[in-house]
Amino acid sequence: MKILQIAPTIGPGTGVGAVAHHLEQEWRAAGVDVDRFTLDDARGGWLPEPGPGLRGRLVLLGRVVWFSTVGSLLARRRLAREPGTVGVCHNDALAGDVYVNHGILRVAMAARGGYAWRMLRNPLHLFTSVRDTWRYRSGTHRVVVNLTPAERDALVSTYSRVRARTQVIGNGVDVERFRPPTAAERGRARAGLPDGATNVVFVGHEFARKGLPLVLEAVVDLPGVHVTVVGGTSTMLDALRRDVRRLGIADRVHLAGQVVDSRPFLHGADLLALPSAYEANALVVLEALACGVPVVATPVGYAPQVVRDGVDGYLVDRTVEDVRRGVAAIGGATPGERAALGRAARREAEAHTWGRVAGQYLDLFRSLARGTDRTAAR
């Protein structure tokens, strides 16, 4: 078996490229031949990395359009030259036997409200919507992998005539890299926090969609609670500073900005808060659980499958009051109760290793080779 992963970028970190990276590592460890088709292979290396502002949005539009068009053509040619290779597409390109659905734009926009305005004001959204309508209603891919059952259902309801078979395979977590901290690591991670403070960690670059404003309003009336925000551009952080001053909690909100490694912040956390409007499958939820950190999240993405109320966190409604309830429940827990939450979180994460996920993909690829993919659940 040979696998060709198709994605604009593949590498450690966060997001889609990191998923492809972890799968690549596990497949190679299993002795499988794995190769890449990225933006450079699509002759798009001349396109710079997106930055902030209008120029950054235009660059992102250019990269997506290039990889969706030129990248699709060249990836298909590459696969045609390598018969027997399983093509796995993670983003943008219309090529490959398997497409991994990392998120449905139309569902994400609808979840945030103002759907028509959000779609019309951004040319990238319109392009992506048209492209993905073609993707799902044509015979581009043989199988679409969805990260959760809910995402599979959303796909079928959004694109009513999905021609490819669908299957559910979730994301995983590196439980060796993400692990509970030692006492020394936790002490370093909490430097600067008052003794006894409850440290709520938020990780994400889309503050509004992922619910950061709800978290900040929820802790206004919880004086012992601090919030550490990981992510965001300089422009976003400037706006956030104004918001926390208006709420009167500037002394309890700590802005880390964009970081290469989120582990030190998870090591200093008492809980992760992610009251998101929409997630396909947020990796940070599993990463927090692997670090022994309970999670307060809305029931979207993978959270309903891994977060159990009072066991390893709380599922909450997307309201200030319910987010406050979840934060207060963990913040008010005894040391013994917090330790139990942490142990349960770690146990849950250990059931979702990348090795297990990679094995599920290999089973799917073997079924494709045998021509038995018709048994996959729609």
Side-chain angles (χ1 to χ4, degrees):
M1 182 186 297
K2 182 176 180 180
I3 300 169
L4 179 70
Q5 290 205 96
I6 304 166
T9 60
I10 297 175
T14 60
V16 175
V19 172
H21 167 73
H22 287 298
L23 290 172
E24 179 183 76
Q25 286 188 313
E26 295 296 335
W27 289 332
R28 285 179 174 166
V32 178
D33 186 1
V34 186
D35 207 348
R36 300 176 172 185
F37 183 93
T38 65
L39 190 62
D40 287 337
D41 299 292
R43 303 172 189 170
W46 57 276
L47 289 160
E49 288 290 329
L54 177 61
R55 182 179 181 277
R57 291 195 291 272
L58 290 174
V59 168
L60 177 60
L61 173 62
R63 287 166 67 98
V64 171
V65 171
W66 185 275
F67 203 68
S68 300
T69 54
V70 177
S72 296
L73 176 63
L74 296 179
R76 289 177 180 179
R77 288 180 179 176
R78 171 84 172 268
L79 288 167
R81 293 195 303 267
E82 302 177 5
T85 296
V86 178
V88 183
C89 182
H90 290 274
N91 229 350
D92 296 334
L94 298 165
D97 303 281
V98 176
Y99 178 69
V100 184
N101 168 25
H102 291 279
I104 305 170
L105 173 71
R106 287 168 57 180
V107 176
M109 294 299 102
R112 295 176 63 180
Y115 173 80
W117 168 242
R118 291 185 184 279
M119 293 296 291
L120 291 173
R121 71 176 181 176
N122 191 330
L124 179 56
H125 291 168
L126 292 175
F127 174 83
T128 301
S129 180
V130 172
R131 181 202 65 200
D132 285 350
T133 298
W134 174 259
R135 178 193 306 284
Y136 294 123
R137 291 183 176 176
S138 70
T140 300
H141 311 288
R142 296 171 66 185
V143 177
V144 175
V145 169
N146 302 279
L147 304 179
T148 66
E151 193 72 353
R152 177 193 58 201
D153 295 343
L155 175 71
V156 174
S157 64
T158 303
Y159 299 95
S160 55
R161 296 189 300 276
V162 178
R163 287 192 57 183
R165 296 289 170 173
T166 65
Q167 184 159 327
V168 175
I169 302 177
N171 281 335
V173 63
D174 184 343
V175 295
E176 299 299 324
R177 186 164 180 266
F178 289 91
R179 53 168 179 74
T182 64
E185 287 171 334
R186 183 163 173 81
R188 288 193 296 270
R190 293 178 65 86
L193 289 171
D195 291 341
T198 297
N199 184 25
V200 178
V201 170
F202 171 94
V203 180
H205 295 303
E206 296 182 56
F207 291 169
R209 174 172 68 84
K210 292 179 179 287
L212 178 58
L214 296 175
V215 176
L216 297 176
E217 291 189 45
V219 305
V220 169
D221 296 327
L222 299 174
V225 176
H226 287 236
V227 179
T228 299
V229 179
V230 181
T233 65
S234 58
T235 302
M236 295 166 64
L237 294 177
D238 287 341
L240 186 57
R241 290 186 183 94
R242 293 192 293 271
D243 290 341
V244 298
R245 284 196 297 269
R246 175 180 56 82
L247 291 170
I249 56 173
D251 60 330
R252 294 193 280 128
V253 178
H254 315 279
L255 308 182
Q258 298 187 36
V259 302
V260 175
D261 187 356
S262 64
R263 286 177 299 171
F265 300 95
L266 293 175
H267 285 170
D270 293 298
L271 65 108
L272 173 82
L274 195 72
S276 185
Y278 169 78
E279 297 286 345
N281 187 328
L283 290 175
V284 70
V285 169
L286 283 176
E287 290 168 353
L289 294 174
C291 289
V293 177
V295 173
V296 172
T298 42
V300 298
Y302 218 32
Q305 295 173 254
V306 296
V307 177
R308 292 170 291 159
D309 278 356
V311 177
D312 58 3
Y314 290 90
L315 292 176
V316 297
D317 293 335
R318 193 173 152 84
T319 65
V320 171
E321 295 74 20
D322 222 34
V323 172
R324 184 185 296 119
R325 174 185 66 82
V327 171
I330 295 174
T334 67
E337 290 168 339
R338 288 197 187 190
L341 286 166
R343 289 192 298 270
R346 175 65 184 182
R347 284 196 302 271
E348 183 62 49
E350 288 173 342
H352 302 277
T353 65
W354 279 116
R356 169 180 261 180
V357 171
Q360 290 177 298
Y361 274 99
L362 291 178
D363 289 341
L364 170 61
F365 302 158
R366 293 185 187 105
S367 76
L368 291 175
R370 294 191 301 266
T372 58
D373 59 296
R374 293 183 181 276
T375 62
R378 182 174 287 279

